[in-house]
Amino acid sequence: TAETSDDDDDDNDNGAGEHDADMNDAREQIQAAENPNPANPLLDDDAENFDLDYHRSLLLDKKLAFSAFLSSSSSHVLSLSQAITANEQKKSSTLAVAALVRDRVLQLKLDFANLRQSIQSTRIQKEASRLNPSSEFSFSERAIHERKLLEQIKTKKTEHSNAVKELRELKGVVAVVSKLIEKSRFGLRDSFETWFRDLEKKCANVARRRAEEILRG
């Protein structure tokens, strides 16, 4: 039946349709997330001005270190962080719209059921009036009413098909944005781990140099 076909479409989430522009943006951001992170200015070789105690405290608290990483890193890393925030908001808003569309799909299914029941009742009344001309409703009245109900159900099926298509497209956008968020998080985490390892080396080197200077002094 048409209704069963629409239900199958609802479960087949293959693309984003009119949201191709969103997917193109997503692909560009995924590629950006995979680019190597430029050197961090925090980890230059200026040992004299390097605050060893502060940076050692970062090594003891990764949450604090991550905040320092974001505030002092390159524009590439900052753009990854901002992209994650923006795409999480986009995913949330898209899911909210999808929930409304899903509710509309369910309501249209209920409308189908009610219309089918009305059509069945109308056909029974039409047949009764044909067999008994003195019944409450005339045959022609019931026939006209049945045609109107059939037109209504045809309109509802079109609305249902459009809603299912919209829902499928929204699900496609959510899938792409979710992949983008995952890629950006992976890129950000990888950059942070590299930054953190470099910071460990930097702290060790600065501590060693200062110890040697004290011994020489």
Side-chain angles (χ1 to χ4, degrees), residues 205-217:
N205 289 337
V206 170
R208 178 178 51 79
R209 291 179 191 176
R210 291 181 182 176
E212 290 174 350
E213 290 173 359
I214 291 174
L215 290 176
R216 285 198 303 267

Side-chain angles (χ1 to χ4, degrees), residues 9-214:
D9 286 343
D10 191 11
D11 295 330
N12 184 14
D13 306 327
N14 293 324
E18 63 185 7
H19 303 278
D20 286 343
D22 291 328
M23 293 190 174
N24 289 335
D25 291 341
R27 281 190 288 269
E28 291 175 2
Q29 292 183 38
I30 288 173
Q31 292 172 356
E34 295 172 340
N35 289 337
N37 181 34
N40 194 306
L42 175 65
L43 303 180
D44 60 20
D45 200 35
D46 185 11
E48 182 178 351
N49 298 322
F50 189 79
D51 189 340
L52 184 58
D53 290 338
Y54 167 69
H55 290 100
R56 277 176 167 171
S57 71
L58 296 182
L59 297 178
L60 299 175
D61 187 339
K62 274 206 168 183
K63 287 185 178 180
L64 183 62
F66 187 73
S67 296
F69 163 72
L70 291 179
S71 64
S72 61
S73 289
S74 67
S75 59
H76 170 75
V77 169
L78 294 178
S79 68
L80 280 180
S81 177
Q82 292 167 357
I84 291 172
T85 300
N87 284 309
E88 283 178 338
Q89 292 173 349
K90 182 176 182 179
K91 179 180 178 180
S92 178
S93 62
T94 304
L95 285 171
V97 174
L100 294 176
V101 176
R102 188 179 298 108
D103 288 343
R104 188 161 78 244
V105 169
L106 294 176
Q107 181 59 53
L108 286 166
K109 288 181 179 179
L110 291 176
D111 292 344
F112 287 153
N114 292 334
L115 283 169
R116 282 195 297 268
Q117 185 175 3
S118 296
I119 289 171
Q120 183 178 6
S121 298
T122 300
R123 285 172 175 170
I124 292 173
Q125 292 171 357
K126 185 177 70 172
E127 181 63 16
S129 64
R130 186 183 67 82
L131 297 174
N132 182 14
S134 63
S135 64
E136 181 180 358
F137 300 103
S138 70
F139 180 86
S140 60
E141 287 177 342
R142 292 297 87 193
I144 292 172
H145 186 59
E146 180 185 1
R147 285 197 297 272
K148 289 181 179 179
L149 291 175
L150 290 172
E151 285 298 320
Q152 289 180 33
I153 205 167
K154 181 179 179 181
T155 299
K156 293 292 184 181
K157 285 181 177 179
T158 300
E159 292 177 9
H160 182 269
S161 178
N162 291 336
V164 167
K165 180 181 178 181
E166 183 180 0
L167 182 60
R168 184 168 63 248
E169 291 170 351
L170 289 167
K171 287 181 177 180
V173 171
V174 169
V176 171
V177 173
S178 296
K179 183 178 180 181
L180 172 60
I181 292 171
E182 180 182 353
K183 277 282 188 180
S184 296
R185 283 178 175 167
F186 177 82
L188 192 62
R189 183 169 57 251
D190 186 61
S191 295
F192 170 67
E193 291 300 335
T194 299
W195 177 92
F196 194 83
R197 288 192 298 271
D198 289 344
L199 180 60
E200 289 178 319
K201 294 177 183 178
K202 178 70 173 180
C203 287
N205 289 337
V206 170
R208 178 178 51 79
R209 291 179 191 176
R210 291 181 182 176
E212 290 174 350
E213 290 173 359
I214 291 174

